[in-house]
Amino acid sequence: MEVFNKIRNTVSNLGAVLPGNPVTREFEVERHIASAGPGLLWKIFQGYKRSTKQEAAVFVLEKKQLERYSKRDRDVILDILKKGVAQLTRLRHPSILTVQHPLEESRESLAFATEPVFASLANLLGNNENMPVPPPPDLKDFKLFEVEIKYGLLQIGEGLVFLHNDVKMMHRNICPTSVIINKSGAWKIAGFDFSVSCSNPNDPQPEFPFYELEADLPPAAQPNLDYVAPEYVLTLKCDTASDMFSLGMMVYAVFNNGSPIYNNCGNLSTLKKHAKKLQQLSASVFSCFPSEAKEHFKMLLNATAEVRPDAHQFSKFQFFEDVGVKTLQYLDSLYQWDNLQKSHFFKGLPQVLAQMPKRVALQRVLPCLVKEYVNPEMVPFVLPNVLLIAEQVSKEEFRHNILPDLIPVFKLQEPVQILLIFMQKMELLLTKCPPEDIRNHVLPMVYRSLESDAQQIQELCLNVIPNFAGLIEYSAMKNALIPHIKKLCLTTSYLSVRVNCLVCLGKLLEHLDKWLVLDDILPVLPQIPSKEPAVLMGILGIYKLAMTHKKLGITKDVMATKVIPFLMPLTIENGLTLNQFNAIISVVKDMINKVETEHRGKLEQLNSIRQEQSSTLEMTQVHPIKQGEIFSDLDSNKSKDANSLGDMFQGLGLDSYVNKSPASKASVTSQFSSVSTTASNTSQLRKVELSLEEKQQLAQQQEQQLRFKMQAPIIPENKPLSTSNPAKPRNLTNSLLDTNLTSLGLSPGSTGPLQLSSSQNSLSPLAQSSTGLMSNAINQTSFRGHTNTNTLNSWPAFSQPLLGAQATTFQPQSSNLSSLDNLLIPGISSSRLKPPLNQISSGPQSLPVSVFPSFQPQRMAVNQPLISQSHPYSFQSTVSSQPHQGTGSQSIMGTNMQQKQMSSISQSCAKDELDDFFS
């Protein structure tokens, strides 16, 4: 939208200029900013030269504005205006407006181009005739400062000195409409429409022709009657003193808010009346003048021309002896001085700038300073003053007025003082510059400073970087700034620079995130080539900050695997003082304590989770019997020396990898295998620390045993068993079983009721009654569906399929085995006829009665096979009754052979028992 408004305003403003005026071919005209000249007929437009892009001001006179006058008056006005522009074009002086392009006339307009213009003095004093509506925002509430007025009047006086003494010319129309303030704030003389030259230039007392004022001419065709000297109407002659009167009247208007002493309204008769009253003016009329210059300015308004000071005397007024005025005056004449004089002036300039208004410093001082950028030797003296002005202006003003000229200076590396000044004012630059310019111009200058060969530049840059780190974007810091600092830290040969790099990195940690520190900063610390104490302390400081900062926090893995192994060797570095050693040791201890605390907490949590899981498993299954209990007797012959050596490894967490001691095995065995209802066994269990779940299981087993004791015996069907016992080949398995049963106190070899051996008295009443029931049941029970008398001919034959030797020959068809549950000894399940592993020993022993309460009895379902399909050589039920007597001769092997065979069977059963349990 702004682009369209700009184009529309330009087209509308140039309606009178565009048709055929040659000025528009060389200058781009933009917006209407001011007005000037007789009757403010000239419109002033802001613009620039197309070829060089140099700023300019275009003065345009629209001929249609003169249509209200008669043709004679229009011609007179046009001739006067053309003459004034032509005279202005020929003059060159710092106090005279500079013309860049001469007057061009077209059918509808007059136009010429000058240096950039801000406004005319009449516009600043409130005369907005022929101005844009609304007025430009720059002129809103505009007020001239005292230093501006002083130096402006001094410039006009110097311009009159040039005209009167050098050019021998009278201006004849010094007034606010003929004074132009350029973009830099300098006051320039223009409006030479009524100027006259001396008739005898070589005469020391020049005389000027007199042109009498005509009453019938319009105001635009004659000088401003409010500012002309009284002699124009009283004595009908004029000289340079007349211009001084006009200057005095303009000074009065400046201090009186734009109003002169008399308002003649363009009438000659009124002018004559007021001219006669000048001698009778009261002192109160001049109260608007500054007190220190009141007497001098009153002399300018004296009715007698000879009393008035000339232009040179005016320039020497004490009123202009001001520090600010002198400063501005020196700035305008800088081109005349050498570098030494300039350097002295620029060194004292900051003190003056602190007292100057911001607009004066921006408009008057800055343009003069910018001109010195072309001289690199002067830049270190000019730059502090420019940056001081930058502190006073807004971001918008900095971006438009200061930054464009400052960007080329960012690239200068010589002299080195330029980088030093920029480093000291880096915070100001980052605050005022737009983000794009920071990324494109400011930060590259910082990187160049880090890469500089000057040690002082590097150290200063490292010292100031943390001060503005918060203003740098995170991506720029991560991808550019941090890598440059790391590279400098690793490659520099200056110890102080390396230490400053470490300190800078430490101060930047709070502006970084945890992972950037862990990935980019900490890994580079062990790579630093030097081990000087100062460097070690810098490294230690970074580690300490990273460990203690709440936002960062080094992880325990990094501390344990990287930091602590790197810091420990540093504790014995030569050259460390006691305080430095204590500092390193303190940080190492803090890290070790932190690792210990965090990891112990983690392990405690894991241990509690494992305990909860194991307790859950113990509630759902019987405790497994330790494998090492089977081989408990193998460790009994170990010497005491071996036990004492093994104690060295206790408490190191190696118990699960080595064999346990016999004492521990016996204690475990006593917990899970010797469960009895007797008082002696109960007292033994109390010595072992059992968990609540284990105690609950033991109580449930005791209750089940008591429940089975209270049950009445089940009487099976009375069906005789077949006694035919044909001869069979000798079976070593049956023979071995008979031998084992004999060693247990049972009598094999008979198909009738089971007979107890001499060791029967060692069984409990429960076992004896159960044995009787078993023998009666076997005598009376027959298997249905089997007419062969060899089916249960003998106990050894029946025991063969139990041992798996002939598992394929015994497969009863639709046999009702429910009666077998009543034949078993209470406490023994028919579903799993396995002897407990803790009761199988390496030699012949009698079967203890405590084996039965340790297993929960279960009833075997009908038609459930007695043979284990997964382990054909293992018992599926705990058989504690006497074997059935068989027929035929069975050789019984000696006691030694029985012990060896029984030991091998016990070991085999134990392994099968473990496999079956863990499956």
Side-chain angles (χ1 to χ4, degrees), residues 736-748 757 759 843-847 892 895 898-899 902:
L736 179 60
L737 181 61
D738 293 342
T739 303
N740 294 336
L741 293 176
T742 301
S743 65
L744 296 175
L746 303 178
S747 299
S757 64
S759 62
Q845 297 177 0
S846 60
L847 186 65
I892 302 174
T895 304
Q898 294 176 2
Q899 292 178 356
M902 194 61 188

Side-chain angles (χ1 to χ4, degrees), residues 357-373:
K358 180 187 71 174
R359 189 181 72 246
V360 176
L362 192 63
Q363 292 184 352
R364 292 291 294 116
V365 180
L366 183 64
C368 299
L369 298 178
V370 168
K371 295 177 182 178
E372 297 296 323
Y373 285 162

Side-chain angles (χ1 to χ4, degrees), residues 670-689:
S670 64
Q671 294 183 37
F672 300 105
S673 64
S674 301
V675 182
S676 175
T677 57
T678 61
S680 61
N681 292 335
T682 304
S683 62
Q684 293 177 0
L685 289 172
R686 289 175 181 174
K687 297 179 182 180
V688 182
E689 295 183 0

Side-chain angles (χ1 to χ4, degrees), residues 138-151:
D138 297 337
L139 296 180
K140 184 178 181 181
D141 300 328
F142 186 88
K143 182 180 179 181
L144 289 169
F145 294 101
E146 182 179 0
V147 66
E148 291 181 289
I149 295 174
K150 287 182 178 181
Y151 187 58

Side-chain angles (χ1 to χ4, degrees), residues 537 571 575-586:
M537 291 300 101
T571 59
L576 290 178
T577 64
L578 178 60
N579 293 333
Q580 293 171 345
F581 171 79
N582 292 335
I584 298 178
I585 287 295
S586 176

Side-chain angles (χ1 to χ4, degrees), residues 522-681:
L522 297 186
V524 80
L525 299 181
Q527 302 174 12
I528 297 177
S530 60
K531 299 297 181 183
E532 289 83 358
V535 176
L536 298 183
M537 291 300 101
I539 295 174
L540 185 68
I542 294 178
Y543 280 132
K544 189 173 181 180
L545 287 172
M547 179 182 67
T548 58
H549 198 283
K550 59 182 180 180
K551 187 178 74 172
L552 303 177
I554 307 178
T555 61
K556 64 180 180 63
D557 298 332
V558 175
M559 285 191 290
T561 59
K562 297 180 180 179
V563 181
I564 297 177
F566 169 68
L567 289 179
M568 283 304 299
L570 300 183
T571 59
I572 59 175
E573 282 290 333
N574 297 328
L576 290 178
T577 64
L578 178 60
N579 293 333
Q580 293 171 345
F581 171 79
N582 292 335
I584 298 178
I585 287 295
S586 176
V587 173
V588 172
K589 288 181 179 179
D590 292 342
M591 289 186 176
I592 293 176
N593 293 335
K594 190 171 182 179
V595 172
E596 178 186 1
T597 303
E598 293 183 4
H599 201 63
R600 178 180 284 112
K602 177 182 177 181
L603 294 178
E604 288 176 352
Q605 293 179 357
L606 294 176
N607 188 38
S608 62
I609 294 174
R610 292 193 188 100
Q611 289 180 356
E612 292 177 358
Q613 293 177 350
S614 61
S615 62
T616 305
L617 293 175
E618 289 173 358
M619 292 295 293
T620 58
Q621 62 184 7
V622 182
H623 289 283
I625 300 176
K626 304 296 183 180
Q627 182 178 2
E629 295 174 2
I630 302 174
F631 306 100
S632 59
D633 294 336
L634 299 178
D635 298 331
S636 60
N637 295 327
K638 291 184 178 178
S639 64
K640 295 182 180 180
D641 294 338
N643 291 334
S644 62
L645 291 175
D647 293 341
M648 296 174 60
F649 297 96
Q650 292 183 358
L652 300 181
L654 303 178
D655 297 339
S656 61
Y657 299 96
V658 298
N659 293 330
K660 294 184 178 181
S661 62
S664 63
K665 296 177 182 178
S667 63
V668 174
T669 303
S670 64
Q671 294 183 37
F672 300 105
S673 64
S674 301
V675 182
S676 175
T677 57
T678 61
S680 61
N681 292 335

